[in-house]
Amino acid sequence: MTDGEARPGRFDHCPWEFWSRSDDEERAAQLAHQEALAERLRADGGTAEFGDRVFVSPWAGIHTDSLRMGDRSYVGAHAVVTDEVSMGRNCTLNPFTTARGRVLMGDGVRVGAHTSLLGFNHGFAPGAPVHKQPLTSKGIVLGDDVWIGSHVVVVDGVTIGDHCVVGAGAVVTKDLPAWSVAAGSPARRLRDRRDTAPGPVPSSLRPSAGALDGRLEAFARRAREQAAEVLGRCRTEGVPADRPGATPTVRAGCDAVEIADLLLGGPPPGEDRDALVERLRALQDPVTGLVPEVGGSAPTLDDHAAMYHILCVGYALGLLGSRFAHPVRAVTELPAERLVERLDALPWRTEAWRSGNWVDGVGTALHFASPGASPQAEALFGWLLTRADPRHGLWGEPDAREGWRQPVNGFYRVSRGSFAQFGLPVPYPERVVDTVLAHSLDPAWFGPYRGTACDVLDVVHPLWLCARSTGHRAGEGRDWARGQLERVLTRWQDGAGFSFALEPGESKDRVPGLQGTEMWLAVTWLLADLLGVGEALGYRPRGVHRPEPAPVGAG
């Protein structure tokens, strides 16, 4: 392969093969060609810079004022490269491509054959022939990891963002945001590239994955180092309370178990596991199987706290290697027809959150009793499947006061205790994603300094759950999760943990405590895992907010 060859060879048309298939003589000839090319360009007043394992076909027309080629980049035969062209690492200008004017390419840019990158333009005012009009050059910018198909034209002034794909034959006249898949003449954005498949983005495609991994690892390490202090400050007369000086509650004791399991891998410091198990088991009413609040009266299925205690006490016992002393008979012995009547009577249109809380408790009690089929479970799932609204995938409707907040919160509670806990797909997952994303943009709940642990959990868990079965609008979900994660990672308060509302203040929801810490630790994992970096935290929720179905016999 020399400048004097009669016609191009295989490597000129398949330059990606050169460094893996060429012999010593061919490699020496290529390096000599690069040296000669650089000398010629410099002699004409230009500059040239070639990285390692670069290939430039002698049959390419290289007439640049400034040329830079990063490591493992190549230019194929009959390409025309002029003016100012900069290629990052692993970039390609395939045979018969044109790159003229000012063209800046990031790393990993692939440009298909017969494509033109035209980083200049002619004036065409009516006062003079076109050939006498002045040339202008705004330049073209191609981000990292961009694939441009064959026979594409990219005009001057266009920026194509990171990770974009441009279909063959397109004419790109306007900027494309990162992750766009575009085609047509003029090109238009068809979808987000990340929506092509469910599940997390591969680590090799995650922007700044390494930096985010490091921040998550540092956050988790900091939380572990301070876990004992966080737990120790939230006790009243030796009994867990949500915040310093607060009244002890059943939930506070369970939150302490969850935090200790997440960060320390065992029971709370200073607690004897067996004694703690016995204390939790003793809370249960042996007749109904429900757990009243500390100092409360006999619980019923209409007791909001008792319904949540099915979750928090049952899962806390599971984390400690135990389970309830009695079945939750108020649920397991409820006739199926009576269960349906109660589901129909719940205030879905006005209080979807309260309704979802009830379903969550019922579903959890049924799962603890028997994770398989039962008349009550069949009745529950039959009702949920036939009552989910196909327009938006939820139970309940928005209202003028809170918008979608109640239905979205209700959906989280319903799906957590039923479909997620039993390992079943939710109905209408694409519509759920549409509705939840619409809610996530509501400034009343997610504006500056807003977004409590519940509000964020109500969005991220449905997005995480639906992503197991659909890639619908996955990129938008990840963008939202990334913004929330950036906020959470700056709100840990040393020695105290998280407040429920994150932002500092005097109200009880802005004072760091066990509920805020337990919930935000779980939310942080869900946000990170939706972005594909959950493993960097080194923990995975195993209690109330566990992402996968509960193990058989839990609780």
Side-chain angles (χ1 to χ4, degrees):
M1 186 195 71
T2 65
D3 287 356
E5 275 192 317
R7 57 189 176 85
R10 178 182 181 86
F11 296 135
D12 298 293
H13 290 132
C14 305
W16 53 88
E17 296 181 352
F18 180 78
W19 288 101
S20 61
R21 300 184 57 175
S22 59
D23 58 31
D24 290 343
E25 182 179 353
E26 289 167 326
R27 294 183 183 187
Q30 170 60 204
L31 293 174
H33 171 62
Q34 293 178 27
E35 291 178 6
L37 175 60
E39 289 180 6
R40 176 171 62 79
L41 295 176
R42 293 185 189 113
D44 291 336
T47 61
E49 179 183 344
F50 299 107
D52 186 45
R53 299 173 76 84
V54 162
F55 177 86
V56 182
S57 170
W59 293 84
I62 310 293
H63 304 283
T64 54
D65 299 319
S66 174
L67 175 65
R68 175 183 172 273
M69 295 181 66
D71 296 344
R72 298 175 299 281
S73 292
Y74 60 77
V75 178
H78 307 296
V80 176
V81 185
T82 67
D83 305 302
E84 302 175 29
V85 176
S86 177
M87 304 168 66
R89 296 170 296 173
N90 299 298
C91 290
T92 69
L93 291 174
N94 274 303
F96 299 98
T97 56
T98 296
R100 304 188 65 182
R102 291 194 296 116
V103 178
L104 175 62
M105 303 162 64
D107 294 332
V109 177
R110 321 302 270 187
V111 180
H114 299 278
T115 283
S116 295
L117 308 176
L118 304 178
F120 72 100
N121 206 349
H122 277 282
F124 55 91
V130 170
H131 73 275
K132 293 184 177 181
Q133 296 280 353
L135 294 179
T136 60
S137 180
K138 298 177 181 177
I140 291 172
V141 177
L142 309 179
D144 295 335
D145 180 39
V146 171
W147 177 22
I148 298 179
S150 297
H151 294 278
V152 171
V153 176
V154 181
V155 303
D156 188 36
V158 164
T159 294
I160 297 178
D162 295 346
H163 314 294
C164 286
V165 175
V166 179
V171 179
V172 186
T173 61
K174 295 181 180 180
D175 293 353
L176 293 174
W179 296 102
S180 296
V181 176
S185 178
R188 64 184 182 89
R189 189 175 188 270
L190 303 179
R191 64 176 184 273
D192 189 298
R193 177 181 164 191
R194 294 165 293 187
D195 291 350
T196 56
V201 179
S203 59
S204 61
L205 295 182
R206 295 197 303 262
S208 304
L212 184 55
D213 282 355
R215 293 175 61 199
L216 291 169
E217 290 171 1
F219 160 75
R221 183 168 56 252
R222 180 182 176 193
R224 289 188 189 95
E225 292 170 351
Q226 299 177 20
E229 184 180 0
V230 169
L231 293 167
R233 68 186 285 273
C234 295
R235 301 181 74 86
T236 299
E237 297 182 354
V239 181
D242 181 59
R243 304 171 311 282
T247 301
T249 60
V250 171
R251 175 169 184 163
C254 297
D255 285 340
V257 171
E258 297 242 14
I259 294 167
D261 182 79
L262 270 182
L263 299 180
L264 302 175
E271 292 272 16
D272 178 78
R273 183 188 299 268
D274 292 340
L276 181 55
V277 165
E278 288 308 308
R279 189 161 67 246
L280 289 173
R281 284 166 61 92
L283 294 173
Q284 193 180 26
D285 176 65
V287 177
T288 63
L290 298 170
V291 176
E293 187 53 271
V294 175
S297 57
T300 70
L301 287 179
D302 296 315
D303 185 334
H304 163 71
M307 296 305 288
Y308 187 78
H309 292 164
I310 297 173
L311 281 63
C312 66
V313 177
Y315 275 110
L317 284 168
L319 293 174
L320 295 168
S322 185
R323 58 183 301 160
F324 276 129
H326 313 282
V328 184
R329 295 189 179 94
V331 174
T332 60
E333 297 180 4
L334 184 69
E337 59 272 18
R338 178 63 181 143
L339 173 58
V340 171
E341 290 175 1
R342 294 204 60 138
L343 289 168
D344 284 334
L346 290 171
W348 291 102
R349 298 189 69 86
T350 57
E351 297 181 77
W353 176 84
R354 174 182 158 200
S355 303
N357 177 71
W358 196 85
V359 171
D360 198 356
V362 168
T364 301
L366 294 174
H367 190 275
F368 285 164
S370 173
S374 69
Q376 291 87 354
E378 291 179 359
L380 174 64
F381 281 98
W383 191 94
L384 293 174
L385 288 168
T386 55
R387 301 303 199 282
D389 194 318
R391 297 172 302 161
H392 50 65
L394 277 55
W395 301 270
E397 296 292 337
D399 61 31
R401 185 171 66 91
E402 293 189 283
W404 283 106
R405 192 189 196 200
Q406 284 275 338
V408 168
N409 182 286
F411 177 88
Y412 160 64
R413 296 301 303 274
V414 167
S415 61
R416 195 223 70 85
S418 56
F419 296 97
Q421 190 162 224
F422 283 77
L424 300 173
V426 299
Y428 315 115
E430 288 82 9
R431 301 292 75 76
V432 172
V433 170
D434 289 339
T435 306
V436 170
L437 285 176
H439 172 61
S440 75
L441 300 177
D442 188 337
W445 313 112
F446 300 100
Y449 307 108
R450 297 186 180 182
T452 67
C454 275
D455 287 323
V456 177
L457 178 62
D458 296 343
V459 171
V460 69
H461 187 276
L463 292 179
W464 188 97
L465 182 62
C466 290
R468 304 308 95 189
S469 58
T470 178
H472 181 60
R473 299 179 68 181
E476 295 173 67
R478 293 186 184 103
D479 287 343
W480 182 87
R482 187 174 293 107
Q484 291 298 320
L485 192 58
E486 290 291 338
R487 184 170 74 111
V488 175
L489 291 178
T490 65
R491 296 302 195 273
W492 175 272
Q493 298 185 43
D494 284 332
F498 286 115
S499 58
F500 180 74
L502 283 190
E503 311 302 334
E506 299 299 323
S507 59
K508 66 180 183 179
D509 63 343
R510 297 183 184 276
V511 175
L514 295 181
Q515 180 182 354
T517 300
E518 186 276 324
M519 290 190 71
W520 281 114
L521 286 172
V523 167
T524 298
W525 186 90
L526 286 164
L527 292 167
D529 199 64
L530 192 62
L531 294 170
V533 292
E535 69 279 1
L537 288 165
Y539 68 74
R540 185 183 185 91
R542 301 195 307 132
V544 171
H545 301 113
R546 64 180 304 117
E548 59 276 298
V552 174

